[in-house]
Amino acid sequence: MSFQSFHFTFSEVAPTFDEILDFLKSSDLEEEHPAIVFIRDILTELNFDTGISGGYILKKIESLNVKKGIIKIEKQELDLGRQVCGYIREATQTAMFLCTAGEDFTRMTNQLNEQGDIMEAYILDAIGSLTVEKAMDRIQESLKNEFGGKGFKISNRYSPGYCNWPLSDQKTLFNLIGGNQTGITLSDSCLMTPRKSVSGIIGIGEHLKHHEYGCVICNNSTCIYRKILHE
Ligand code: SF4
């Protein structure tokens, strides 16, 4: 099966004003605060029609060993770790995904930083993070609907660098995903370009049980997913 592509305009996946404030933990700021004024202005200014894209490719799981924390796909091993393997233990296939909010966020954030507008750059960076997750929510919803109709369930999404899945596995993940239209590239140190991009897997299975992320007992205090998905 080939890579299923999705493209969005900013208005289709834009975070709301309240979601941005929640993410920044700034819900109690006054209306005249510069951060509030900037968020209101920038939300009307951001009007990208292109660049926000993503998708997934379906792959059969050849074996899944929770004890070793390893799954095998097309003879390649992914070192998911026991935590993620446990979350998807009943999966028989995976959707390997990529999604990006595009290069415009990086360009604009860099510009703000260069001008010395550090607070504005920080806010825009946060909007980029929320945008890519909202685009990914749409893709995940589409996957859920497609497989739900066939009697299958899907898991949460998991990414290298989180939930004890080593970031270095990005290389195998990208290798397995292969050619696609997102334009996302990977550096030798496993960082993605554009910066506001995500990658990972979603488990799929007829008997898959839903497992919550283990954030309550996780000591990753800087995890962006804890902020976006669970607080
Ligand atoms: S905080 Fe939650 S999502 Fe983040 S790494 Fe920990 S368990 Fe995973």
Side-chain angles (χ1 to χ4, degrees), residues 83 87 158 161-164 213-227 229-230:
Q83 188 179 350
Y87 292 150
Y158 303 100
Y162 297 93
C163 306
N164 296 316
Y213 291 93
C215 307
V216 182
I217 51 162
C218 177
N219 61 6
N220 187 341
S221 58
T222 59
C223 173
I224 191 169
Y225 290 109
R226 188 197 293 273
K227 275 188 179 177
L229 303 169
H230 321 296

Side-chain angles (χ1 to χ4, degrees), residues 10 14-27 35-36 38-40 42-43 46 122-124 126-128 130-131 134:
F10 179 68
T16 64
F17 178 76
D18 287 341
E19 284 167 342
I20 298 166
L21 285 189
D22 270 1
F23 183 76
L24 296 169
K25 298 197 184 310
S26 304
S27 301
I36 300 291
F38 176 75
I39 295 169
R40 289 208 188 282
I42 199 77
L43 280 178
L46 293 173
Y122 179 71
I123 293 171
L124 188 59
I127 295 173
L130 288 167
T131 301
K134 293 205 77 159

Side-chain angles (χ1 to χ4, degrees), residues 77-95:
E77 288 189 345
L78 280 166
D79 184 16
L80 296 191
R82 291 162 71 160
Q83 188 179 350
V84 178
C85 269
Y87 292 150
I88 63 163
R89 62 168 68 217
E90 303 91 1
T92 50
Q93 53 183 321
T94 65

Side-chain angles (χ1 to χ4, degrees), residues 23-35:
F23 183 76
L24 296 169
K25 298 197 184 310
S26 304
S27 301
D28 52 354
L29 290 181
E30 291 167 3
E31 271 301 304
E32 314 77 52
H33 192 283

Side-chain angles (χ1 to χ4, degrees), residues 197-218:
S197 300
V198 294
S199 65
I201 63 162
I202 296 169
I204 304 166
E206 217 174 333
H207 306 292
L208 194 85
K209 296 196 184 79
H210 183 79
H211 299 280
E212 292 299 334
Y213 291 93
C215 307
V216 182
I217 51 162
C218 177

